[in-house]
Every structure is written in C-alpha cells, then in structure tokens.
Amino acid sequence: MRRGDIELLAQDDLILELGDRLAWWCGENMDAITKFFGDSYKALSEIDILPFNLGLALGILLGMLPIPLPGGVTLKLGIAYGPLIAALILGAIDHTGPLVWTFRTTPT
C-alpha cells in the first residue's frame, strides 16, 4: 500500500484512508476488487459540506467565547483561532455518530 510517499505493508490493523493506493496481483478478479475498493480520485476532491459547516460554526462560536484571565482581562480566540482549535479537537475525535470529521471513507 502506498500513502503519499510512504510504502506500507498490509497488516490486520491497517486502516485504508482516502488517497491510499493499493497494489496486488489478482488475475481475473480485478473487476470484483475494483468494485469493492473503488477506483476513483473523485472522492478526494469532494468535501462533505454538513460536517465542514458544523465544524466551522462551532469554531466561530468557540472564537466568540470570552475566556476570563487573572487581572480582569478577557481573551477571545477570534475567527481564526476558534475554528483552528475546533478543527484540532474534532479531528482528534474523528467522528460523532454519522458525522465524520476527517477525510476518511468510513468512521473507525
């Protein structure tokens, strides 16, 4: 399997992600294997708009929350750091129910 510039050997715990390229010798079963795994880069360029917009809205709301600091000072993350922090958190969560926060074909 090839992921980016890295070649990996297939193992039981290996999870396929979008953009992974598989190489195998299959003979006459090529059509069935292609149908099962897919053979298109189209999914790489498509973004599921619902999780994207929800994550962005959560990030903007996070950026608007005032964070009290000692000395009576309040800090707001703003519209740049709020979505960034939300993206890091949601990416670490990976998925919430049917909503997948990362670029994977299926939640793990």
Side-chain angles (χ1 to χ4, degrees), residues 46-79:
E46 293 179 352
I47 296 174
D48 193 359
I49 200 74
L50 179 64
F52 178 78
N53 283 337
L54 284 176
L56 188 58
L58 286 172
I60 290 172
L61 289 175
L62 179 66
M64 291 173 29
L65 290 176
I67 303 169
L69 296 175
V73 178
T74 59
L75 172 73
K76 290 184 181 180
L77 295 175
I79 61 172

Side-chain angles (χ1 to χ4, degrees), residues 58 62 77 81-96 101-102:
L58 286 172
L62 179 66
L77 295 175
Y81 286 114
L84 178 63
I85 299 299
L88 290 172
I89 293 169
L90 292 174
I93 291 172
D94 190 52
H95 70 280
T96 307
W101 303 111
T102 59

Side-chain angles (χ1 to χ4, degrees), residues 2-106:
R2 188 169 181 88
R3 181 175 292 158
D5 292 334
I6 301 170
E7 292 186 9
L8 304 168
L9 284 175
Q11 297 176 359
D12 292 338
D13 61 344
L14 186 66
I15 297 172
L16 290 178
E17 297 183 6
L18 284 175
D20 289 348
R21 303 221 24 170
L22 302 175
W24 62 85
W25 177 258
C26 59
E28 66 275 352
N29 296 329
M30 184 64 178
D31 290 335
I33 292 173
T34 300
K35 184 178 178 183
F36 180 76
F37 286 110
D39 189 20
S40 174
Y41 284 106
K42 182 180 178 186
L44 285 173
S45 63
E46 293 179 352
I47 296 174
D48 193 359
I49 200 74
L50 179 64
F52 178 78
N53 283 337
L54 284 176
L56 188 58
L58 286 172
I60 290 172
L61 289 175
L62 179 66
M64 291 173 29
L65 290 176
I67 303 169
L69 296 175
V73 178
T74 59
L75 172 73
K76 290 184 181 180
L77 295 175
I79 61 172
Y81 286 114
L84 178 63
I85 299 299
L88 290 172
I89 293 169
L90 292 174
I93 291 172
D94 190 52
H95 70 280
T96 307
L99 296 176
V100 179
W101 303 111
T102 59
F103 292 112
R104 287 194 179 160
T105 55
T106 57

